[in-house]
Amino acid sequence: MNDFRPGLEGVVAFQTEIAEPDEEGGALRYRGVDIEELVGHYPYEAIWGLLVDESFDPGMPHPDEYAPKHLTGNAPSDLQAETARLSSEWGLKKLVDTDLDETRDDLARLSAQMMSIVAKSAAIHDGREPAPDDVVSQGETAAEAFLLRWRGEANPDHVKAIDTYWICTAEHGLNASTFTARIAASTGADAGAAMSAAVGALSGPLHGGAPARVLPMLDEVAAKGDPEGYVKDLLDRRGRIMGFGHRIYRAEDPRSRILKRTVQEIGSHRLEVAEALEEAALAELHRRKPDYVIATNVEFYSAVLLDVAEVPPDLTPAMFACARVAGWSAHILEEKRTGRLIRPSAQYVGPSSRPASAVGRAPVRT
Ligand code: COA
């Protein structure tokens, strides 16, 4: 086996009709539509419809009335546990036993409920009771309802920030969490199992957790007032600058462009330091790796935009998960429609055949 590719880089595992990251041109299209045309014109729940149903209408529904069983206030783990629990609470059928319409409806209910779980967990984290349904139902969009449920109020700038962030990060091809969702779906597991598996994969800092690490970086640069020195020092220690680099894009990440523009429109006390760090990071990364494009990725200005909406850093993986319910749903459905059991191979490079005694004596049981 000479075709081993660490990290499966460049390996084409599926064909998809959902999203197209145009790596050279730095554009991202959902079902063929550039996200530049979507942000600010359609709310997130309509984008859910575009990605899942290829139609803005009816989009993601309102959540069912449902009380999660055990919220701790740690949103990423609450979301993973409660989503898995919905499979049994709602008696979701295995994907092998449902038709496409049933699967789509399960995914729609799950998506809406997952947002509600995150908002409730965030309220508990803040020491508040989540707002009652009559308050939440005043929200005109999913982002507004989310904030109402979490905080009992929805500042329009915060609604715009969250809606923009969710749309920009709703789907991005075969990233780690989406791959995970498709793997689970390919086994015929139910939609709740596939969604909760995806949440777990998203929680790591190299995928969904980077925004949480961007703000401390910005604070350090603001305190020292020396972005160039910060970057050089970090790279000399072989550290990674969070919010830069991407496995796919070899050009500016289009989502970063939109997120930055939105921060500029709404305003942020962190914008100046973010722009200074970005400039210093891009220059130094380019100086050290002139042949490898490492540009600003989605996470850098996501962190600043979510900060504008007063989303604490440790909530950012769960906010990312809220955004990705659309992409995961679309891929789970596509997997059901087109897929077969995912079962790649591993190249064995361990010890050659040997007796157990070569490993050591058997422990003596008393
Ligand atoms: N800061 C410093 N160096 C970086 C870097 C970053 N953000 N991103 C890549 N590099 C360097 C690596 O250190 C490596 O250098 P080396 O060859 O001298 O060891 C080289 O670029 C290639 O790294 P690799 O991890 O193979 O590149 P990739 O394109 O597959 O990486 C990421 C993609 C996202 C994993 C990587 O850019 C990263 O870790 N970024 C920071 C975390 C982040 O922002 N994650 C969110 C992604 S949306």
Side-chain angles (χ1 to χ4, degrees), residues 8 39 47 53 64 124 152 155 169 179 190 196 266 276 305:
L8 299 180
V39 172
I47 306 309
D53 301 326
D64 294 9
I124 284 164
N155 173 319
T169 55
F179 191 32
D190 65 69
S196 69
I266 300 176
L305 190 58

Side-chain angles (χ1 to χ4, degrees), residues 9 205-211 214 234-235 238-250 253 255 285 289 292-295 297-300 320:
E9 188 166 354
L206 295 188
H207 184 14
V214 170
L234 184 61
L235 294 180
R238 297 199 61 77
R240 292 198 175 210
I241 314 172
M242 287 294 151
F244 294 86
H246 201 273
R247 199 41 81 74
I248 294 181
Y249 289 118
R250 293 292 160 249
D253 184 328
R255 302 166 299 172
L285 286 166
K289 290 202 178 298
Y292 193 74
V293 179
I294 303 179
N297 68 40
V298 66
E299 313 261 4
F300 190 70
F320 195 3

